[in-house]
């Protein structure tokens, strides 16, 4: 099983930061992606980052990289998770009240992607994180997301708390928070692979 960790956005992407500038999404999600890959490798999994560059890599190119690997090893032997931090609309650079973790799949998501999303949500709850659910029966959100829509393997996008909520940002930047976000991905991947 090839586990691919994507981190959205690049150093030049506008916005995508906490109002006080202490958290920048491109940098934070790269750090988390590196931690997830390291933790998975330590447990013997074949994991890698899809974007090792600091600059923004287009969605088209990221999907191309993922699908190249899918064609090499077979789509059912690949798993993708794209790591993000959320922002509350209207995304105006001010602090807001919305908080929590959520998992997202594409509108054309396979049963496997949905199962993977449920596994990540379960793992987030085990880490004690507040989870934003679409509905009790359908805890993940269905959206038109290129990284999930245009890739050939099971794929989920995670929004790891809010970069414009003071409490979430303080937690995200703490070592405890970084470990919780890393662990939820590692456990969620293991729950999925073991089920
Ligand atoms: Zn993002």
């Amino acid at each position: 099983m090839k586990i691919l960790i994507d981190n959205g956005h690049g150093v030049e992407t506008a916005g995508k930061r906490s109002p006080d500038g202490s958290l920048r999404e491109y940098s934070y999600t790269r750090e988390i992606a590196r931690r997830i890959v390291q933790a998975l490798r330590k447990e013997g999994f074949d994991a890698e980052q899809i974007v090792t560059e600091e600059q923004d890599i287009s969605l088209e190119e990221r999907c191309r990289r993922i699908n190249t690997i899918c064609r090499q090893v077979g789509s059912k032997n690949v798993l993708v998770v794209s790591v993000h931090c959320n922002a509350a609309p209207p995304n105006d650079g001010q602090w807001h009240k919305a908080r929590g973790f959520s998992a997202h799949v594409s509108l054309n998501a396979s049963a496997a992607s949905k199962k993977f999303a449920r596994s990540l949500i379960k793992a987030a709850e085990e880490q004690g994180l507040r989870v934003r659910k679409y509905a009790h029966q359908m805890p993940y959100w269905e959206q038109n997301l290129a990284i999930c829509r245009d890739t050939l393997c099971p794929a989920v996008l995670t929004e790891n708390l809010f970069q414009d909520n003071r409490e979430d940002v303080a937690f995200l930047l703490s070592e405890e928070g970084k470990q919780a976000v890393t662990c939820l991905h590692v456990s969620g991947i293991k729950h999925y692979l073991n089920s």
Side-chain angles (χ1 to χ4, degrees):
M1 180 63 66
K2 191 98 186 162
I3 301 160
L4 305 177
I5 313 298
D6 174 57
N7 37 255
H9 321 297
V11 60
E12 76 279 37
T13 311
K16 310 287 184 191
R17 66 177 74 198
S18 59
D20 64 359
S22 62
L23 186 150
R24 293 197 64 190
E25 188 179 358
Y26 91 92
S27 160
Y28 188 77
T29 55
R30 274 169 178 71
E31 180 179 354
I32 296 297
R34 276 193 296 273
R35 285 178 179 236
I36 296 168
V37 166
Q38 277 170 9
L40 286 168
R41 285 182 179 168
K42 227 179 193 172
E43 297 197 37
F45 292 99
D46 182 1
E48 68 178 271
Q49 280 177 259
I50 271 300
V51 175
T52 51
E53 300 93 331
E54 290 289 299
Q55 73 266 31
D56 191 37
I57 301 299
S58 70
L59 280 163
E60 192 184 2
E61 168 61 14
R62 285 189 266 150
C63 291
R64 193 196 62 75
R65 291 179 187 182
I66 292 165
N67 288 337
T68 299
I69 294 170
C70 288
R71 291 193 183 92
Q72 283 164 359
V73 304
S75 299
K76 63 177 190 303
N77 300 314
V78 182
L79 208 51
V80 167
V81 58
S82 185
V83 178
H84 290 254
C85 296
N86 217 337
N91 208 343
D92 55 3
Q94 305 295 314
W95 294 107
H96 292 284
K97 293 213 178 326
R99 299 185 66 180
F101 168 91
S102 53
H104 305 250
V105 298
S106 60
L107 299 172
N108 64 347
S110 63
S113 293
K114 293 174 182 175
K115 193 172 126 186
F116 184 28
R118 286 180 189 274
S119 300
L120 288 160
I121 290 164
K122 182 178 168 216
E125 287 177 330
E126 286 168 357
Q127 287 298 319
L129 297 183
R130 172 189 307 229
V131 177
R132 300 173 70 244
K133 295 179 179 176
Y134 176 75
H136 184 68
Q137 293 300 324
M138 198 184 101
Y140 48 80
W141 300 73
E142 292 182 328
Q143 281 181 311
N144 190 22
L145 301 165
I147 198 78
C148 299
R149 181 193 67 215
D150 297 338
T151 44
L152 301 168
C153 56
V156 175
L157 183 149
T158 58
E159 292 283 9
N160 295 277
L161 314 191
F162 280 75
Q163 58 194 309
D164 54 8
N165 177 280
R166 286 184 199 273
E167 291 80 12
D168 274 5
V169 168
F171 182 70
L172 286 168
L173 292 174
S174 69
E175 182 55 27
E176 184 194 358
K178 289 176 184 178
Q179 283 183 18
V181 174
T182 303
C183 277
L184 89 84
H185 289 87
V186 173
S187 309
I189 288 162
K190 284 159 64 179
H191 286 328
Y192 173 78
L193 295 176
N194 291 332
S195 62

